[in-house]
Amino acid sequence: MNDRIKGPIALTLICSAVCALLAGAHLLTDDRIRDTEAVRLQQALSEAFGEGQYTALNVKYDGISQVIRDDSDRLIFDLVSSGYEKGSQHLLIGISDGAVSKVHLVSISDSPTQAAAVSEPDFLDQFTGWTDPDSDYDAVSGATKSSEGIRQAVARALRTYYENREITDDA
Amino acid sequence: MTVLGIILSAILTDNFVLSKFMGCCPFLGVSQKISSSIGMGAAVIFVMTCSTAITYPVYMYLLVPNGLEYLQTLAFILIIALFVQLAEMFVRKCFPPLHRTLGIYLPLITTNCAVLGVTILNVDLFAASESFLTGYLHALLYAACAGVGFTLALILFAGVRSRMEDADIPAFFKGTPATLIAASIVSLSFMAFSGMS
Amino acid sequence: MMRKTKSVSLWQEFSKGILRENPNLVGLLGICPVLAITQEARNALGMGIATTFVLICSNAVISMLRKVIPQTVKLSAYIVIIAGFVTLTQFLLHGYAPELYSALGTFLSLITVNCIILGRAEVFAGKNGVFRSVLDGAGMGIGFTLSLLLVSSFREIIGSGTWFGIPLTGEYKVALLRSAPGGFFALGCIIALVSALLRKKPPEGIGCNGCPNADTCAASKGGCSR
């Protein structure tokens, strides 16, 4: 009788100890993790849209991670789209004056050949100037799903933009 | 992801063993005979589906609301380990013939990358679904299909290995290296499916 | 009960894991990451270091607690401890090496079920002192990292024409090595190579020696499901 409860009790104790230690470690590293993520985002923004002041807007839309406004009043949509795997593409899409100004691929974890194919400026530039989310586009052959993931991201950004015009008038 | 998409990708285009590289250890060790492959496969399907059935709601209703997502790895593997132990005891006591064909593989599955892998992927893929129920059902389907894909790869491979026994292979390639190179060819053939999407 | 004399020197305890008893190339444990994370040498090295860190820490703690953990929950307790260190590693990488964190993805969590770690816990740390367990963990970890480096260098140099990101052969490359079949192929070649170097026959299949499930397998008919 004694032996049979010794096991589960020991296991529970070990679990609790580990959980407590992890909670402590989490508290210690959480700030650092947030800072690192913020720095990475800033770097991606600078790379895509140039140096400048970027402020995240306090809005939440379905399928959009965050909306950022830059100092020339452009809006940038930070979102995650799915190529060959869910959430494999992280994009920043700039929209100004009602049209797409730039599509920047922050990171993509589709397989290397597909990733390389859709990272080409020739492919991404075709979305510049888009106003209609349902425009035709040219996918890269052999990388259809990756291409489609990016197209869906652009469409989603455009739709969210049009459905929420008030954010462009936001002071 | 559509239902058909889930089924096809889990079994063919994104096969857990041949594409994602999860669950390789038993893939190399167990697949000597087709009968043991089927037994192992059945056990894997069972454990994957049941583990998902438990871990998915635990994640959605216990970890996320309390901001404890970081405990995911610990919680999931503990659930899997405890479930497998209980399942093995249950099968041994209540279904002895089943235990001989399937039960002996159960302890091996606790440390199988594919099982922990599928529970984590399910949460990544479906946690953002419209409702808990849709996500849950999709997750269960994905888990079952992943198991089927695993079994498929295992059986195919057992067939390939049995043919290889008679082949003339240079000394230092005999055994595992030859097995791995054969695996690369099977994997290559599965790559052809990615055009199907 | 007779006390076993310490016939294995400390140096041997450490060095055995590097080549002679390399957990990956000789013991065939922990194959999954060697196939999945070896497209680029840089990521493979990161994976190796992360795994070695977890291995050393878990070996140490399990060795410290070896007399206290009851037999019945041994495996589960080991798993909990290993999972704890893996989660800690996740925090550290996310905060201090975010690129490596993204590159490893799910496989960082999967270090938890790396047979090498659980295997060494069961076979060694559960039965030996802390210092020796740390040496054992370090040696096995270095051996594992070595295997990762060999396979990833092979894949990166021939598959992408670079090494650690430094362009080497440029245009001449066999792109197939970067994809799934390439992983299997590369590992097969490396194992054959190492077997030739060690003048041993290549391993037949998953060895029972290091396998964490050896006890359970042996209990059932036929053992090791062969």
Side-chain angles (χ1 to χ4, degrees), chain B residues 3 13 16 29 32-33 64 67 81 84 97 104 114 120-121 129 135 176 193:
Chain B
V3 169
T13 65
F16 263 68
Q32 302 269 34
K33 302 179 295 188
V64 171
V84 167
I104 47 174
I120 294 178
L121 280 174
S129 296
T176 310
F193 288 118

Side-chain angles (χ1 to χ4, degrees), chain B residues 6 10 31 35 45 47 51 55-57 64 67 69 88-89 91 97 99 111 124 154 158 164 171 181-182 188 192:
Chain B
I6 293 175
S31 58
S35 56
I45 297 175
V47 176
S51 308
T55 55
Y56 191 84
V64 171
E69 290 94 329
E88 210 246 332
M89 280 197 296
V91 170
H99 183 256
T111 53
D124 283 345
L154 215 54
M164 262 172 43
I181 295 177
L188 192 59

Side-chain angles (χ1 to χ4, degrees), chain A residues 76-95:
Chain A
I76 299 161
F77 289 78
D78 177 1
L79 42 72
V80 171
S81 187
S82 306
Y84 279 88
E85 274 176 40
K86 184 130 181 184
S88 61
Q89 303 166 340
H90 182 194
L91 296 123
L92 290 172
I93 299 176
I95 299 183

Side-chain angles (χ1 to χ4, degrees), chain C residues 4 6 15 18 23 56 70 77 87 98 100 103 113 133 139 167 176 189-191 193 196 204 207-208 210 216 221 223:
Chain C
K4 241 176 106 178
K6 286 205 167 72
S15 62
I18 300 180
I56 294 178
T87 313
L100 181 61
V113 284
S133 298
L176 201 60
C189 292
I190 298 286
I191 292 183
L193 183 70
E204 277 294 301
C208 277
T216 354
K221 224 175 9 176

Side-chain angles (χ1 to χ4, degrees), chain B residues 18 20-21 23-25 32 70 73-74 77-78 85 104-105 107-108 111 113 120 172 174 176-177 180 183-184 187-188 191, chain C residues 28 32 35-36 79-80 83 87 90-91 107 109-110 112-113 118 180-181 184 188 192 196 202-203 206 213 220 225-226:
Chain B
L18 298 170
K20 288 180 145 65
F21 295 122
C24 301
C25 299
Q32 302 269 34
Y70 59 89
T73 313
L74 178 58
I77 191 63
L78 193 58
Q85 229 177 339
I104 47 174
Y105 300 107
L108 227 66
T111 53
C113 308
I120 294 178
F172 286 118
K174 269 210 171 75
T176 310
L180 284 165
S184 72
S187 169
L188 192 59
M191 258 180 89
Chain C
L28 283 191
C32 302
L35 294 168
I79 287 175
V80 168
T87 313
Q90 282 174 315
F91 291 157
F107 276 90
S109 306
L110 291 182
T112 323
V113 284
L118 202 54
F184 285 107
I206 306 299
N213 294 298
S220 42
S225 336
R226 295 295 203 94

Side-chain angles (χ1 to χ4, degrees), chain C residues 6-190:
Chain C
K6 286 205 167 72
S7 51
V8 184
S9 77
L10 291 178
W11 169 251
Q12 273 184 308
E13 209 75 278
F14 170 73
S15 62
K16 67 181 191 288
I18 300 180
L19 208 55
R20 213 176 346 116
E21 278 178 51
N22 187 302
N24 197 247
L25 301 173
V26 176
L28 283 191
L29 298 173
I31 302 275
C32 302
V34 179
L35 294 168
I37 306 286
T38 44
Q39 289 99 344
E40 279 172 53
R42 200 174 21 194
N43 295 333
L45 182 62
M47 179 56 136
I49 294 176
T51 311
T52 308
F53 173 68
V54 175
L55 183 52
I56 294 178
C57 293
S58 66
N59 260 19
V61 171
I62 288 173
S63 174
M64 276 188 250
L65 296 176
R66 71 185 185 280
K67 302 208 172 109
V68 181
I69 301 177
Q71 195 63 13
T72 41
V73 292
K74 200 167 57 153
L75 219 57
S76 303
Y78 292 173
I79 287 175
V80 168
I81 293 171
I82 295 170
F85 282 114
V86 170
T87 313
L88 181 65
T89 312
Q90 282 174 315
F91 291 157
L92 292 173
L93 286 185
H94 198 179
Y96 296 94
E99 263 112 44
L100 181 61
Y101 180 78
S102 309
L104 295 181
T106 331
F107 276 90
L108 186 51
S109 306
L110 291 182
I111 294 180
T112 323
V113 284
N114 189 319
C115 293
I116 298 177
I117 304 183
L118 202 54
R120 292 328 286 173
E122 165 96 20
V123 166
F124 199 89
K127 303 172 185 164
N128 287 276
V130 181
F131 187 55
R132 281 181 178 268
S133 298
V134 169
L135 287 178
D136 177 86
M140 291 285 162
I142 292 176
F144 179 65
T145 310
L146 183 68
S147 167
L148 280 167
L149 279 174
L150 282 173
V151 177
S152 64
S153 302
F154 183 81
R155 284 181 84 181
E156 195 185 348
I157 294 175
I158 305 181
S160 315
T162 61
W163 195 51
F164 279 94
I166 307 167
L168 285 180
T169 61
E171 286 305 305
Y172 301 100
K173 54 190 178 185
V174 182
L176 201 60
L177 270 176
R178 274 201 73 130
S179 59
F184 285 107
F185 184 78
L187 183 60
C189 292
I190 298 286

Side-chain angles (χ1 to χ4, degrees), chain B residues 147-159:
Chain B
V148 171
F150 177 86
T151 313
L152 181 65
L154 215 54
I155 294 176
L156 276 174
F157 209 60

Side-chain angles (χ1 to χ4, degrees), chain B residues 35-64:
Chain B
S35 56
S36 54
S37 305
I38 296 181
M40 180 74 170
V44 165
I45 297 175
F46 174 63
V47 176
M48 274 187 178
T49 319
C50 295
S51 308
T52 304
I54 306 175
T55 55
Y56 191 84
V58 164
Y59 183 79
M60 298 296 278
Y61 287 123
L62 195 64
L63 296 183
V64 171

